[in-house]
Amino acid sequence: MSDLNDLYQEVILDHNRRPRNFGQLPDATRTAKGYNPLCGDRLTLYLKLDGDRIDGVAFEGSGCAISKASASLMTDAIKGQSTSSAADLFERFHQMITTPIDQPVDEDSVGKLAVLAGVREFPARVKCASLAWHTLKAALDEVPTPVKTE
Ligand code: ZN
């Protein structure tokens, strides 16, 4: 990942080393599992919804640094948000991560998540970065899981 901007790389490494909201959520109202067979990343996402507000969120699992950092950043970003803002953020993140590498991304639209824009240079890593988000979507839409990136 030597092509990543140093600052961005530092943020990703930090979230990998000290993932935020890592663990179980005993009073979760929604649970979803995600699996990325290409890399072997697995995660379980827990949401505690209060009406349409995401009151609590946590995740656990095992995977590469990108998948873990992305899940950590995601949980930070959606905590306290409404389910519709979280779904909007999913769309903006998905748009960013699928933008061709030679085209600029709108970093302001995704806030801190922009640190993951660099994974576009590594197509296999895009699935690692989006796994947590697809799992979130499944939890919000209450579709059966595990969701797979393949
Ligand atoms: Zn991975």
Side-chain angles (χ1 to χ4, degrees):
M1 305 299 281
S2 58
D3 291 318
L4 284 180
N5 172 295
D6 282 350
L7 173 67
Y8 284 6
Q9 189 168 344
E10 189 50 47
V11 174
I12 290 169
L13 292 175
D14 176 54
H15 276 266
N16 176 52
R17 273 194 305 264
R18 298 185 302 119
R20 319 302 194 263
N21 310 298
F22 191 79
Q24 295 187 357
L25 199 62
D27 53 354
T29 56
R30 304 262 176 101
T31 304
K33 290 176 188 293
Y35 176 46
N36 172 19
L38 204 65
C39 179
D41 309 314
R42 290 177 189 277
L43 75 87
T44 303
L45 182 71
Y46 304 94
L47 294 180
K48 179 173 183 263
L49 299 185
D50 179 10
D52 72 345
R53 185 172 176 273
I54 300 171
D55 226 24
V57 54
F59 78 101
E60 59 179 357
S62 59
C64 67
I66 296 292
S67 69
K68 206 191 274 185
S70 180
S72 174
L73 283 157
M74 182 191 80
T75 55
D76 257 0
I78 65 169
K79 201 179 213 173
Q81 301 285 322
S82 68
T83 51
S84 59
S85 327
D88 282 352
L89 194 55
F90 167 88
E91 295 300 337
R92 295 200 296 274
F93 180 79
H94 192 256
Q95 189 173 10
M96 175 186 81
I97 210 111
T98 53
T99 299
I101 191 68
D102 58 351
Q103 288 172 32
V105 296
D106 181 5
E107 300 197 352
D108 290 341
S109 76
V110 292
K112 273 174 130 185
L113 304 172
V115 299
L116 288 161
V119 304
R120 293 177 300 144
E121 283 185 58
F122 311 92
R125 293 294 185 182
V126 169
K127 293 184 191 302
C128 301
S130 55
L131 177 65
W133 290 90
H134 286 293
T135 310
L136 169 68
K137 192 80 167 60
L140 292 175
D141 296 346
E142 294 187 274
V143 302
T145 64
V147 289
K148 290 187 184 175
T149 52
E150 293 295 302

